[in-house]
């Protein structure tokens, strides 16, 4: 049966209270949510996505106060970050309490938590008395969904309902910060600029941003990936070597002369927020064309450019 498209927090809450799977809008990408305390419902998330159980989920909560129930220790920097940037595209990984099921955290003794910044989903969280476990609402490994239609196309047959909250504002997954040995550490670039985090709490440690080690969950080298081959570099130079049909994902414009089936420009005015907002819709659009390759150029390594480049590199990984 196809998922029901719904528009109110009330309807969403009732799906979740009976153990259902609900796609929810956030400012980053759409999430696939279930009651985090209901292991059967959480198990259905993994099944619907085809997600391996070694890849842990993010808990979504209504306010900073909800942290207390879920984690043993809120490091001072974590508290500062939550107070400054929540609701927002920032996930904190903290030592978990027993109440958080092992299935949610893939057996780790830490749990990833954030407070999403979307009015409908905040209203929804206010109507339930449990946190939501929610990874991105896409089949495992594919590009994340930034609209309700994306979710319907790919998971519509496997979930109960989709709460339609329009197109996601930021368009990239959250930035993830953990505290191994107490040191604030960037696990994943995302929708909150690392510069803004460092200006609040000082310099971060960085873990290798890609890995094939499942113990570095979500840092899987191949991820966020369209079905067509993605080639990174100067699109004009790459195009000159290709015989097969291709499309181009460009940052600004400038490739109108290349023999591309289509050129998708992320931001003609070179704005990184606009580029982030359009990245996944662009990849999906080009992926649907009768092309063999998507040629993409990297963006400046600053602000959201770092997160966009991270997604492009993983999309291009073999
Ligand atoms: P998604 O919501 O689909 O972007 O996936 C959630 C991601 O959060 C995972 O793939 C991990 O990268 C990260 N994550 C969740 N829990 C943890 C944890 N306990 N430690 C480190 N990373 C985590
Ligand atoms: Mg994901």
């Amino acid at each position: 049966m196809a998922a029901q498209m719904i528009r109110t927090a009330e309807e969403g809450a009732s799906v979740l209270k009976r153990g259902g799977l609900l796609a929810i809008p956030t400012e980053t990408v759409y999430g696939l949510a279930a009651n985090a305390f209901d292991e059967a419902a959480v198990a259905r998330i993994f099944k619907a996505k085809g997600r391996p159980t070694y890849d842990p989920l993010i808990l979504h909560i209504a306010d900073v106060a909800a942290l207390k129930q879920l984690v043993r220790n809120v490091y001072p920097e974590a508290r500062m970050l939550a107070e400054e940037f929540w609701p927002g595209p920032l996930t904190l990984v903290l030592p978990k309490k027993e109440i958080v099921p092992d299935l949610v955290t893939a057996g780790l003794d830490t749990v990833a938590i954030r407070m999403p910044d979307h009015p409908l989903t905040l209203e929804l969280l206010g109507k339930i008395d449990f946190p939501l476990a929610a990874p991105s609402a896409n089949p495992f490994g594919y590009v994340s969904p930034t609209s309700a239609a994306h979710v319907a196309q790919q998971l519509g047959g496997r979930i109960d309902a989709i709460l339609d909250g329009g197109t996601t504002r930021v368009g990239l997954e959250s930035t993830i910060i953990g505290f191994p040995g107490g040191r604030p550490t960037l696990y994943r670039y995302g929708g909150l600029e690392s510069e803004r985090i460092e200006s609040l709490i000082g310099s971060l440690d960085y873990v290798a941003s890609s890995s094939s080690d499942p113990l570095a969950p979500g840092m899987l080298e191949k991820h966020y990936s369209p079905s067509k081959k993605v080639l990174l570099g100067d699109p004009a130079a790459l195009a000159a070597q290709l015989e097969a049909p291709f499309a181009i994902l460009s940052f600004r414009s400038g490739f109108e002369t290349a023999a591309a089936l289509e050129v998708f420009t992320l931001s003609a005015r070179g704005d990184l927020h606009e580029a982030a907002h359009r990245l996944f819709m662009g990849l999906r659009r080009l992926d649907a064309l009768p092309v063999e390759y998507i040629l993409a150029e990297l963006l400046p390594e600053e602000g959201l450019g770092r997160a966009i480049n991270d997604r492009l590199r993983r999309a291009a990984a073999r």
Side-chain angles (χ1 to χ4, degrees):
M1 234 194 36
Q4 203 190 347
M5 205 50 95
I6 61 179
R7 294 190 186 279
T8 68
E10 198 87 67
E11 294 167 283
S14 90
V15 172
L16 294 165
K17 283 177 190 166
R18 55 173 194 265
L21 284 192
L22 175 71
I24 56 169
T26 79
E27 81 284 26
T28 60
V29 301
Y30 273 73
L32 180 56
N35 176 352
F37 294 153
D38 177 345
E39 289 206 48
V42 173
R44 289 181 61 212
I45 295 178
F46 286 95
K47 190 145 179 265
K49 282 187 57 107
R51 181 180 180 110
T53 50
Y54 60 69
D55 196 3
L57 308 181
I58 295 175
L59 294 190
H60 291 64
I61 59 176
D63 47 47
V64 180
L67 273 179
K68 239 189 5 242
Q69 183 195 16
L70 303 169
V71 307
R72 281 180 278 127
N73 184 4
V74 182
Y75 298 96
E77 293 94 338
R79 181 162 301 282
M80 286 169 72
L81 289 169
E83 279 167 3
E84 178 74 15
F85 295 118
W86 283 2
L90 172 69
T91 294
L92 299 172
V93 175
L94 295 166
K96 86 176 188 77
K97 282 191 174 164
E98 206 137 319
I99 191 170
V100 179
D102 286 333
L103 186 56
V104 167
T105 64
L108 298 170
D109 68 356
T110 53
V111 60
I113 306 185
R114 81 179 194 100
M115 177 182 175
D117 187 15
H118 190 289
L120 253 186
T121 291
L122 286 173
E123 191 189 340
L124 172 70
L125 286 166
K127 290 181 186 300
I128 54 182
D129 58 3
F130 46 82
L132 293 177
S136 53
N138 52 290
F140 181 68
Y142 195 70
V143 179
S144 296
T146 54
S147 73
H150 292 166
V151 181
Q153 281 155 22
Q154 294 194 298
L155 293 182
R158 304 190 209 171
I159 65 180
D160 298 300
I162 301 169
L163 182 58
D164 186 354
T167 302
T168 62
R169 177 171 57 80
V170 175
L172 287 176
E173 300 84 354
S174 57
T175 302
I176 302 182
I177 302 288
F179 298 85
R183 271 290 299 158
T185 302
L186 187 130
Y187 286 166
R188 175 175 78 184
Y189 286 106
L192 180 67
E193 295 92 333
S194 53
E195 291 91 336
R196 293 183 62 191
I197 295 171
E198 292 192 321
S199 75
L200 185 72
I201 61 166
S203 68
L204 294 165
D205 285 351
Y206 290 80
V207 295
S209 71
S210 71
S211 166
S212 51
D213 176 4
L215 290 178
M219 294 162 228
L220 301 171
E221 186 173 355
K222 173 101 188 147
H223 213 73
Y224 311 108
S225 179
S227 59
K228 304 296 167 60
K229 294 185 198 96
V230 176
L231 303 180
L232 297 183
D234 170 12
L238 290 167
Q241 302 164 13
L242 290 179
E243 314 240 312
F246 63 88
I248 293 177
L249 187 79
S250 80
F251 176 32
R252 296 154 163 256
S253 48
F255 298 102
E256 289 78 4
T257 53
L261 207 59
E262 182 170 329
V263 178
F264 187 95
T265 302
L266 290 174
S267 174
R269 59 193 156 93
D271 179 86
L272 293 172
H273 286 89
E274 184 180 35
H277 176 73
R278 287 164 56 76
L279 175 68
F280 289 150
M281 91 174 83
L283 280 173
R284 276 173 190 262
R285 182 180 166 91
L286 300 184
D287 203 24
L289 297 174
V291 296
E292 205 167 305
Y293 295 97
I294 297 171
L295 315 185
E297 58 175 347
L298 290 171
L299 280 70
E301 286 286 343
E302 62 185 32
L304 295 183
R306 296 180 209 271
I308 295 169
N309 288 345
D310 170 80
R311 303 306 186 266
L312 288 173
R313 290 193 183 101
R314 292 195 226 196
R318 288 291 152 75

